[in-house]
Every structure is written in C-alpha cells, then in structure tokens.
Amino acid sequence: MPNPPRLRAAALTAAALLLASALAACGDDDSGDRDLTAQKLTWRDCPAPSQAQGGGGSPSPLPDDGTWQCSKMKAPRDWDEPEGDTIDIELIRVRTTAPEDRRIGSLIFNFGGPGGSGVTTLPAFGSSYEALRTRYDLVSFDPRGVGRSAPVWCEDDQQLDAYFQQDASPDDAAERTEFLDSTKEFNSACEKNSGAMLPHVGTTEAARDLELMRQVLGDDRLHYFGISYGTELGGVYAHLFPEKVGRAVFDAVVDPTQNPEQGSLAQAKGFQLALGNFAEDCVSRVEDCPIGDTAEDVENRIAKLLKDLDSKPIKGIFPRELTQAAATSGILQALYSKDLWPYLTEGLEQAYDGDGSTLMLLSDALNGRSENGEYNNSTAANVSINCADDKPRYTPAFVEDRLPEFRAASELFGDSLAWSLLSCTDWPVAGAADHPDVSAPGAAPILVVGNTGDPATPYEGARKMAQALGDGVGVEMTYRGEGHGAYESDNKCVRDAVNGYLLDGKVPTAGTVCS
C-alpha cells in the first residue's frame, strides 16, 4: 500500500531469537508475572477510526453481513524486558464463512507502509479477499506505533502542512539549509512527543508481536499475507520463527538485501519506469491523449510543470498552493495503481491550466491528510519505523555526491528520493542494521509474487527475497502487470495461484508467470 516519502527503502534486521519461554513469561509492571500468551481477547463492534487511523466511519459489514470485530492484545512495550510495561495492539477480524471442520485458522494481513493501519485497510479491501474467508478468519492489526497501537506522533496538522509544502529537492545553499532545518525540527518533535516509544517500534519487535498474536488467536502456525513492507515484516518473522510459518504469501516484495540508499535508488528507477508506462498507455489509446502527443512529450511536459512549480506554485486546495513537492507526491501516489492513471491524466490537464486541486488531492492521499485537514499518524510512524530499522545515517555531502546517479535513474524523482535519505540523520535512536536478515531454513514454502511494473517495490526484489529466504522456502512467481502489487490487480492467474496455496496448500511451480 502507499506510504509517505521517504518511500520505504528496505532495511532492518532480526535481532536475537525470542524463545517461546520468554513469550510465556512476559507481563506488565503492576500485575506481577503475567502469561500474555494466555490472554483472552474480547471482541466487540469496531469503533469509528481514530485520527491516528485516518478518521471516518465504522467499517461496513461485508455483503453477506459478515461483521467486523475489534479487540486489543497486550504486548510488552520493550521485548528485551518482557515483564515490564505493556502496550495495546489493536486487532480487527471477520469470521470465516466455513464450518469448523473446514476452517484452517486465522489469516493475518499486513498491508505495508511501514505506518499503515491494518485495522482500517482490511475492511476497506475486505471484498477483495472474500475467497480467502471461505476457510480463514481474516485478521489484521495496527502495528506498534501505528493507529491505535501506542501511536507515535511528531508534528501537528499545521506543521505537517508546511512540512509537505517545503522544497524536497533543494537547488541552492539557502534551500538546503531550510530543508535540513525542517527535517531536524520534525525529528525533534518526534522525540518530544513520542520519545518513550521510539526505541520500540522496529520491525523485529513487530515480528515478535506477530508470534504472540498467533498464540493468542489459537493457531498452531502463522498463516500470513504480507504486502509491500508487510513482506519484510513477514521475512523477519520467518527468520525468527521458521518452525511456526504456515501458509504465507508475499506480494509487492521488498528487496531484503538493499540498504536505504540502494532501496531509494531502485525506487527512483521504478517510479520512472511506471511514469513511462503511464505515458505510453495514454498516447496508445484510440482517443487523443490530452497531456501529450507522444510518450516523450508527456514526460517532457510533466518535467516542465515540476520545474515551473519550483519557482511559481499554482492554485491548489485553499489556502494551500500546489508546490513542486506536492505535485511530485501527487504523481507518485497515482503511479501506485493503474486505476489512478485517469486521475493523474485529469490532474495534469488541470495543472497545465493553472488548477492544481486534483494533484493536491492525490498528494494528500499519499501523506495521510483527510479533507478536514487532519493527518493520520502514518508519516510519523513511517519515519519512526524506518529510522529504528535503518542503521545508516547519511550526510548532506553524501547525498550531493550521489545526486548524479539518482538523476540518471529518474529526472523527475531522483532528487527528492536522494534527499529523503537524510530523514534519519538527526534521529534520536540508533538504527538496527543495513538490511534485514530473512533467512528461514526449515520454514514452510512462502509464495513470493513480483510485479514487473511495480514502482515502489521493483520486480527484482522478489527474486532477492526468494533467494534470501532460502532453498525450498522462497517460491518466486511473476506477474507481468502495472501498479504496486499483484493480487489486487484481479488477474485470474495470480488469484488462482495465491488462493490455491492459501486455501488448498497447492504450491505453484517456481518461476510461474502470469500476464
């Protein structure tokens, strides 16, 4: 799923293996020893989402009157001190339609980010997974630091408006100083408002929460569907608990071998590829493409628009103007899904006439801003989790040295993705590692699905993930399509393969290709 810039560059590690005995011995500070694996979940009708989750109304029942239920699971705030304070992990589920003798268990989803609320995302896409509900309870959660699970907060809504309007690709010394000061102020606000949680939001900790969740839900194995960053979380879980892996699918796959610099450079190439595919699609239609005569013309006009906006923003959504940074974010958001390409065409056509409202709506969607001006906490969580995971701390001199390669990868997106590497430079908590360890010898097969047109998690990452999981574990499959991920494309070949594995245990042949 979409995540705010800095776009996710895979990097974290799995720390020391948590023994089952440690899980059984954890508790909170005011109740003595407590066996958290024995806790009983109290399921209730789901409340309306909080601001941190994005606001809105309570989830609607599924077409067959399937009711969404929510609960809270207690987990140690600090897994290195499992008998200390606890936090609540917010869960959501809808029960299977199967009789008990056909039920496999729970299928747990993580939709990515990091920083995305699973409690709001699963019901939003629930109908897409109805086939899987024929044998599973569908379950998701807000990872620690996200939504209703001990959310981290940084800047307020007004400050975030200014943060996302700033120049994200500074051209001179003054703009660089302003960019660096803004980044430092954001990080200082995170420390001020959420300092106690910042050391405890890494992906290793979230993987340990998954293992506790498996036990509390009463499943012998973890059946799992990870998308985007969720594939990294799933890989870390498989490394920590290989013998507990059940049927698992990774879609829109993070490359676990890359450090943040390599991941951001790959994304620059991926989004540039997706932009080219969008341009080709527009000019290939029977009717005239309203934003260019050729694919090259489309891309050149977009480049000129962004250059012009750098010095002269246009009308956006009052009182905000569409700046170069906001327009770039809007374009990035639209490239996540082919379903959004018509809105990108419309937004560009409007922007050429001086109206930036549609591109700003797309930008707001990427950055977690609702129509009433409130932000969810996805940006704060995204940066906090990235910085807890990523060990490298880059300098402005490093970025300036790397700019030529980023620009060669993408004229439009290279600069902003290069400068985004400074997100963690002034972070108050050290990062864990250059990249995660996802090796999982002895785990059950994990189906790894790569999309050749994926901009955010480029296709090559699927092969790297399958190889890193190990022989007999990672089973690579290819979808020749567009957008972020494969299952949501509704491609019958992909759906049949994924559903066949999750529902019936039929492992596709490695190297299967769907078009």
Side-chain angles (χ1 to χ4, degrees):
M1 308 302 293
N3 46 276
R6 158 163 90 80
L7 299 168
R8 177 67 186 177
L12 108 145
T13 189
L17 176 64
L18 177 69
L19 299 176
S21 59
L23 271 169
C26 49
D28 60 23
D29 62 339
D30 59 1
S31 60
D33 289 345
R34 173 183 285 179
D35 181 359
L36 291 185
T37 66
Q39 65 185 290
K40 302 298 182 184
L41 298 178
T42 301
W43 295 98
R44 65 194 189 283
D45 290 342
C46 293
S50 66
Q51 179 183 342
Q53 292 173 311
S58 299
S60 301
L62 289 167
D64 66 349
D65 293 326
T67 301
W68 296 100
Q69 300 174 309
C70 289
S71 188
K72 296 181 184 294
M73 178 189 79
K74 290 195 175 297
R77 185 180 71 175
D78 182 352
W79 273 105
D80 290 333
E81 297 182 7
E83 295 183 5
D85 294 347
T86 60
I87 60 172
D88 289 333
I89 304 296
E90 186 82 3
L91 308 179
I92 190 169
R93 76 172 182 185
V94 63
R95 300 302 298 270
T96 181
T97 57
E100 188 60 33
D101 62 348
R102 288 282 296 162
R103 179 183 180 273
I104 295 173
S106 302
L107 180 63
I108 300 179
F109 290 77
N110 181 281
F111 294 94
S117 166
V119 173
T120 58
T121 303
L122 180 58
F125 289 88
S127 59
S128 298
Y129 302 102
E130 272 293 275
L132 300 174
R133 194 158 74 94
T134 58
R135 298 200 69 189
Y136 292 98
D137 297 341
L138 305 185
V139 178
S140 193
F141 63 106
D142 288 351
R144 54 177 55 222
V146 177
R148 276 200 167 98
S149 297
V152 294
W153 290 102
C154 297
E155 295 186 322
D156 62 27
D157 295 333
Q158 186 176 2
Q159 291 170 319
L160 285 172
D161 272 347
Y163 179 76
F164 288 119
Q165 291 289 89
Q166 72 166 345
D167 193 331
S169 54
D171 302 313
D172 56 38
E175 290 182 353
R176 288 183 179 90
T177 297
E178 183 179 357
F179 176 83
L180 294 172
D181 287 348
S182 176
T183 302
K184 185 177 294 187
E185 289 168 6
F186 180 90
N187 292 355
S188 295
C190 297
E191 183 176 21
K192 177 182 177 181
N193 295 319
S194 300
M197 272 301 296
L198 297 184
H200 309 301
V201 296
T203 304
T204 295
E205 288 77 9
R208 292 173 172 181
D209 293 340
L210 271 178
E211 173 57 10
L212 177 60
M213 198 179 304
R214 176 193 67 78
Q215 296 181 66
V216 171
L217 290 169
D219 293 319
D220 293 334
R221 297 286 184 270
L222 181 80
H223 306 297
Y224 180 78
F225 200 134
I227 302 164
S228 193
Y229 160 79
T231 67
E232 182 174 315
L233 174 59
V236 171
Y237 176 89
H239 173 71
L240 289 171
F241 307 102
E243 74 286 355
K244 296 301 182 182
V245 174
R247 298 175 188 175
V249 172
F250 293 175
D251 186 8
V253 187
V254 167
D255 184 341
T257 69
Q258 293 178 331
N259 63 28
E261 176 206 352
Q262 293 164 336
S264 290
L265 183 61
Q267 285 188 327
K269 296 175 182 177
F271 278 100
Q272 190 65 44
L273 172 66
L275 184 73
N277 292 342
F278 158 76
E280 290 282 359
D281 179 77
C282 187
V283 300
S284 69
R285 297 184 180 277
V286 175
E287 65 271 20
D288 291 338
C289 175
I291 55 172
D293 297 326
T294 66
E296 183 179 11
D297 185 35
V298 171
E299 293 192 50
N300 286 341
R301 291 190 69 191
I302 294 173
K304 184 179 185 304
L305 172 69
L306 294 179
K307 183 177 181 180
D308 291 346
L309 290 173
D310 192 24
S311 58
K312 190 177 180 180
I314 62 175
K315 180 185 72 173
I317 299 175
F318 184 81
R320 296 173 298 152
E321 294 182 312
L322 183 76
T323 63
Q324 181 191 55
T328 301
S329 293
I331 294 168
L332 287 170
Q333 169 67 29
L335 294 177
Y336 270 93
S337 171
K338 194 171 183 178
D339 290 342
L340 295 177
W341 287 6
Y343 298 102
L344 178 54
T345 300
E346 178 183 352
L348 290 168
E349 192 174 10
Q350 291 174 351
Y352 296 143
D353 289 332
D355 178 3
S357 57
T358 296
L359 287 182
M360 180 152 277
L361 282 172
L362 289 166
S363 176
D364 287 347
L366 184 71
N367 296 326
R369 188 186 196 272
S370 63
E371 292 182 5
N372 65 7
E374 292 183 345
Y375 286 85
N376 62 29
N377 90 312
S378 60
T379 294
N382 179 269
V383 175
S384 299
I385 296 167
N386 279 337
C387 295
D389 288 348
D390 297 342
K391 185 175 181 180
R393 298 292 186 252
Y394 299 106
T395 66
F398 178 89
V399 171
E400 290 177 4
D401 183 64
R402 303 292 288 127
L403 278 173
E405 187 170 0
F406 274 79
R407 288 169 177 163
S410 175
E411 178 186 358
L412 269 67
F413 310 123
D415 275 48
S416 57
L417 283 167
W419 286 105
S420 73
L421 292 173
L422 299 181
S423 297
C424 300
T425 298
D426 298 302
W427 196 250
V429 177
D434 289 332
H435 56 81
D437 188 348
V438 300
S439 60
I446 296 173
L447 180 58
V448 178
V449 188
N451 180 351
T452 58
D454 197 315
T457 50
Y459 169 67
E460 294 78 11
R463 179 157 299 173
K464 295 292 183 63
M465 175 67 82
Q467 292 172 342
L469 288 168
D471 292 341
V473 179
V475 179
E476 185 188 5
M477 177 178 158
T478 296
Y479 168 54
R480 299 194 185 280
E482 301 293 341
H484 188 41
Y487 192 85
E488 280 295 319
S489 71
D490 287 332
N491 178 270
K492 185 177 185 302
C493 173
V494 172
R495 292 237 164 169
D496 286 349
V498 170
N499 294 348
Y501 180 44
L502 290 176
L503 296 174
D504 301 316
K506 298 177 182 177
V507 182
T509 302
T512 295
V513 177
C514 294
S515 300

